Amino acid sequence: MDLLESGYLFYRARQYDIRGREYLRTNGKYFIIDTGLRRNAVGRKDGNYSNRLEDIVYVELLRRGYTVDIGKLNGTEIDFVARKLYISK
């Protein structure tokens, strides 16, 4: 996975504990940059569009300048924790 990450084919989102405000020591979640590659690797399966949509949303948030993690709050997974740093003038 490190090679795929360094080749910018996958991005890894770290898991963030919202209540404790710290990163958890889990593997996180991987998002593929190109949904066409995913379709080629997994094959064409109708339905289950949620995984493809998550990949698209994740990449779009990165493109817009957000730092994106996945979250956990009271044992419930949160799909995206998007933060944008603002620089005050």
Side-chain angles (χ1 to χ4, degrees), residues 12-14 23 31 57-63 65-70 79-83:
R12 181 173 158 282
R14 295 171 51 187
Y23 286 102
F31 295 94
V57 170
Y58 181 82
V59 171
E60 182 63 21
L61 286 170
L62 288 180
R63 189 188 71 76
Y66 287 89
T67 301
V68 185
D69 299 307
I70 57 173
D79 288 334
F80 302 109
V81 178
R83 294 178 294 219

Side-chain angles (χ1 to χ4, degrees), residues 26-43:
T26 61
N27 290 335
K29 192 172 183 179
Y30 287 91
F31 295 94
I32 193 165
I33 190 71
D34 186 352
T35 57
L37 291 174
R38 180 183 187 282
R39 181 178 175 184
N40 190 29
V42 176

Side-chain angles (χ1 to χ4, degrees), residues 48-65:
N48 194 10
Y49 294 105
S50 62
N51 290 341
R52 285 183 256 175
L53 186 59
E54 278 185 3
D55 291 336
I56 293 167
V57 170
Y58 181 82
V59 171
E60 182 63 21
L61 286 170
L62 288 180
R63 189 188 71 76
R64 293 182 182 212

